[in-house]
Amino acid sequence: MGSETSEPYLPLPHSERVVSMPIVNPQTGGKSKSFRYVGLVDLHVGETIRDYKGVSDIDRFIQQAMIGYQGERYALALMHEGYTIRKVEYCLITRPSILYKHPSVSWAVVKKGNKTACKLFRAANAETKGDAAHYMAERRAKDGAGEYSIEERTSGNPTRQHYEDECIAWLNDTEHGQRVKPHSHYLNDYKLLQARWSIHNAAKHILYCRVNDRWQTNDRACHAFNRECPYLDLCVALQNGRGTETLIHEEFTTRKRNPELFGHDVGEGLPILTHSMIQDLSCNMLYYWKHERCLEKKRVADNEPLWIGSAIHIALDILNKTGDFNAAFIAINEWAEENPLHGEDAEWIKDQQIARAGAMVRVAADRWLTGDRGGETAGGQ
């Protein structure tokens, strides 16, 4: 029946939940003895699945959703539990790209009548003010009749709350296109069958790579989505016959398995296969380093999309169940403590990501949740 862009509807009776199903060969009906499929459905409303997504590019995501299988995989798992699912709705929220800037104070030498400073002297103190005064005297001597003064100027974000408010304004700004947008499409039998095959084929491929120890690289995945793969240096070392253990010790740490399922009971049984794991098979070595070796780079920037995505899912789940903003933002901060960041400026980057997640939750709630649910924000002081 095609796709549509529309406002998702309410009420929201079935909030975030884990769904699971056996992995089946669509041709023979045989069940996998090595994996089971597990997914996390944000909301299940009647015959519709709703999925909140933090994305970098809304139009690109919509294009990928039309040919990808994430919604169909979730639908198959719910159908396995006896539900009828006909439609997938995505609530798309662009991850803010503006940066959390350290607050700073500067001396500005300004010519009368101009707003733009002739020169800025960073880190305002007695020494830099003397430098500014010396520069102003030089400008006056050169200019003759010009009138100059020294002004104190501040820049950056004085608090995390200030930065979160900036992110909210950025998300609501439509001058450069919509940064918060719903999109939906209807399911069809052909795509559901292909989704079932995609799960079965992924499970077989992982077993083949394990048994034969054949984890091959895909050079086209090294800079997918305009981001360098965090495991690129490991692959380069491996392909050139060098050891990787020293590099792993210096630049990597152990990651939790399936952090997107944080706080959820996935039950007992076979090892799990998730949508994220299947997506990471775009490069066998990416899958190997991330899921077989459970490595993640210590540099915090590489982990931001998944970190923020998981944080907003946890907060929106609490909002859908309770309507309590304070509890939702406490959950974001608890997620940050449970999943610490690594590398230089880790504390500052953590504050940036908490504020971004808080802004995304606030805007998503204003757009898609009912009621006047005021309350605090995630930023704080």
Side-chain angles (χ1 to χ4, degrees):
M1 298 179 68
S3 65
E4 61 182 39
T5 299
S6 62
E7 290 292 342
Y9 57 85
L10 301 170
L12 314 173
H14 300 294
S15 192
E16 192 172 65
R17 54 180 293 203
V18 172
V19 292
S20 179
M21 67 176 178
I23 297 177
V24 177
N25 183 325
Q27 187 171 10
T28 67
K31 295 182 180 180
S32 172
K33 298 179 181 179
S34 303
F35 296 100
R36 59 192 167 112
Y37 179 78
V38 172
L40 189 61
V41 175
D42 291 344
L43 289 169
H44 170 207
V45 187
E47 296 181 347
T48 301
I49 294 170
R50 179 186 293 181
D51 194 18
Y52 292 103
K53 286 290 185 186
V55 300
S56 59
D57 187 318
I58 284 181
D59 292 333
R60 176 185 287 176
F61 176 87
I62 291 173
Q63 185 181 52
Q64 291 173 336
M66 295 306 300
I67 62 174
Y69 301 115
Q70 182 176 11
E72 283 72 15
R73 291 168 185 149
Y74 290 167
L76 288 170
L78 282 169
M79 291 174 180
H80 176 72
E81 296 182 6
Y83 293 99
T84 299
I85 305 296
R86 302 186 187 280
K87 186 180 179 184
V88 179
E89 293 179 336
Y90 294 104
C91 299
L92 306 175
I93 315 143
T94 307
R95 287 188 298 273
S97 59
I98 55 175
L99 299 176
Y100 185 21
K101 299 176 182 177
H102 292 269
S104 64
V105 181
S106 306
W107 300 118
V109 177
V110 183
K111 185 176 182 179
K112 185 177 181 179
N114 294 344
K115 292 183 178 180
T116 305
C118 300
K119 189 172 182 178
L120 285 174
F121 292 82
R122 308 289 181 184
N125 54 44
E127 182 180 352
T128 54
K129 190 169 186 179
D131 294 339
H134 179 72
Y135 175 79
M136 183 172 66
E138 290 181 341
R139 294 285 303 196
R140 282 175 173 168
K142 184 178 181 180
D143 197 9
E147 293 187 30
Y148 292 86
S149 62
I150 298 176
E151 298 177 358
E152 184 179 289
R153 293 188 176 181
T154 59
S155 62
N157 303 107
T159 64
R160 194 169 72 187
Q161 179 62 66
H162 181 271
Y163 173 65
E164 184 178 324
D165 292 340
E166 278 194 349
C167 288
I168 291 173
W170 184 88
L171 286 166
N172 286 321
D173 180 11
T174 59
E175 183 178 351
H176 303 289
Q178 287 184 288
R179 291 169 172 154
V180 182
K181 184 178 181 179
H183 174 78
S184 61
H185 70 261
Y186 289 92
L187 304 174
N188 63 71
D189 291 339
Y190 174 81
K191 201 174 178 191
L192 287 169
L193 177 60
Q194 298 307 309
R196 195 180 293 279
W197 272 113
S198 73
I199 301 172
H200 169 71
N201 291 340
K204 280 189 64 177
H205 185 70
I206 293 168
L207 289 177
Y208 172 84
C209 291
R210 282 181 184 170
V211 170
N212 296 282
D213 194 23
R214 292 183 182 173
W215 303 92
Q216 296 183 321
T217 58
N218 172 14
D219 60 329
R220 294 188 177 184
C222 296
H223 294 90
F225 308 113
N226 300 316
R227 295 176 66 246
E228 182 177 291
C229 174
Y231 306 104
L232 180 58
D233 290 343
L234 288 175
C235 291
V236 170
L238 198 64
Q239 294 298 322
N240 285 279
R242 302 198 302 270
T244 59
E245 293 310 310
T246 299
L247 187 60
I248 288 172
H249 176 74
E250 293 176 350
E251 298 190 19
F252 291 82
T253 186
T254 302
R255 71 186 293 272
K256 293 182 179 180
R257 291 185 182 274
N258 308 113
E260 69 271 22
L261 299 174
F262 170 78
H264 295 275
D265 182 9
V266 298
E268 300 292 332
L270 295 170
I272 67 175
L273 184 62
T274 68
H275 170 74
S276 295
M277 294 169 72
I278 295 172
Q279 294 295 94
D280 288 337
L281 284 169
S282 60
C283 173
N284 294 345
M285 287 306 300
L286 166 62
Y287 182 94
Y288 171 77
W289 297 122
K290 187 173 180 180
H291 300 287
E292 298 289 307
R293 294 290 300 271
C294 292
L295 298 176
E296 68 178 5
K297 202 147 192 187
K298 292 178 181 178
R299 191 169 68 249
V300 295
D302 296 318
N303 307 323
E304 182 178 16
L306 180 58
W307 196 100
I308 289 183
S310 297
I312 65 173
H313 277 81
I314 291 167
L316 287 170
D317 178 44
I318 291 175
L319 269 182
N320 280 314
K321 290 175 178 175
T322 68
D324 187 342
F325 268 104
N326 294 333
F329 294 130
I330 287 172
I332 292 177
N333 283 275
E334 289 177 347
W335 163 258
E337 294 303 318
E338 289 285 337
N339 296 269
L341 301 171
H342 311 283
E344 296 179 6
D345 282 339
E347 193 64 27
W348 187 263
I349 297 297
K350 181 185 78 170
D351 285 346
Q352 174 175 275
Q353 295 186 178
I354 289 174
R356 285 181 177 180
M360 293 168 74
V361 168
R362 173 69 67 177
V363 172
D366 288 345
R367 183 70 179 269
W368 290 303
L369 304 186
T370 58
D372 181 12
R373 300 176 177 175
E376 302 301 322
T377 60
Q381 297 297 318

